[in-house]
Amino acid sequence: MKKQNIQNSDYLKREKNFLSAIASEETFQIIIGNDGSNILLLWQDEYYMEAYLNSCETPIRLSKVDTVGFLKWMKESHPEMNYAIHPVFEQASHYLTPTQLSKKIIDQMESEGDFDDTLRANNLL
């Protein structure tokens, strides 16, 4: 029931849930959807991703990566990309630049636990 409530919630609640999940030591992963555009779709788990894919008719290539690997990839390349956090089909999406998204993820990781050493070791701070 909780997942359905999040899926139907407003963007800020979905973003907060996404950031909390991907910075959690239990999850620490991101699912990335690429439909061939310059906007990557981001989810924290398969439940939300499947809900979107079941409604969407566009072919989407999926990848699952750990959060630090994703941050490194964003930093090293692809400044032209934009990111949609936890998109819901037929709802307006908010798009973030790599700089905006990296800051949100790193801020969440710092507030969730002791990730400073990992972030420094990967040249992300």
Side-chain angles (χ1 to χ4, degrees):
M1 186 64 161
K2 181 182 176 190
K3 286 189 175 203
Q4 289 174 340
N5 289 339
I6 292 168
Q7 186 70 4
N8 296 324
S9 66
D10 66 29
Y11 171 78
L12 291 177
K13 287 181 184 175
R14 291 193 317 269
E15 179 184 280
K16 181 179 177 184
N17 180 262
F18 171 84
L19 292 169
S20 178
I22 67 165
S24 165
E25 289 186 33
E26 295 170 3
T27 309
F28 211 67
Q29 69 179 10
I30 299 171
I31 299 171
I32 304 167
N34 183 345
D35 63 2
S37 72
N38 70 333
I39 299 167
L40 294 181
L41 312 170
L42 307 176
W43 295 278
Q44 67 267 32
D45 72 26
E46 287 84 0
Y47 176 86
Y48 303 114
M49 175 203 68
E50 286 177 8
Y52 186 88
L53 294 177
N54 288 336
S55 301
C56 178
E57 296 180 7
T58 305
I60 296 176
R61 190 173 61 236
L62 300 169
S63 302
K64 189 183 288 188
V65 298
D66 73 75
T67 303
V68 171
F70 179 70
L71 286 168
K72 286 173 60 176
W73 178 82
M74 272 198 310
K75 182 179 180 179
E76 293 169 358
S77 58
H78 311 287
E80 75 284 355
M81 298 302 287
N82 286 301
Y83 301 89
I85 292 177
H86 191 138
V88 173
F89 190 70
E90 294 188 337
Q91 284 190 22
S93 292
H94 298 270
Y95 303 117
L96 299 171
T97 66
T99 303
Q100 292 168 321
L101 181 58
S102 293
K103 180 173 178 8
K104 285 178 181 272
I105 293 172
I106 290 170
D107 287 351
Q108 184 68 37
M109 288 175 70
E110 289 179 325
S111 72
E112 287 286 323
D114 189 20
F115 289 106
D116 285 347
D117 290 341
T118 302
L119 293 169
R120 272 193 200 88
N122 287 282
N123 199 25
L124 294 168
L125 284 180

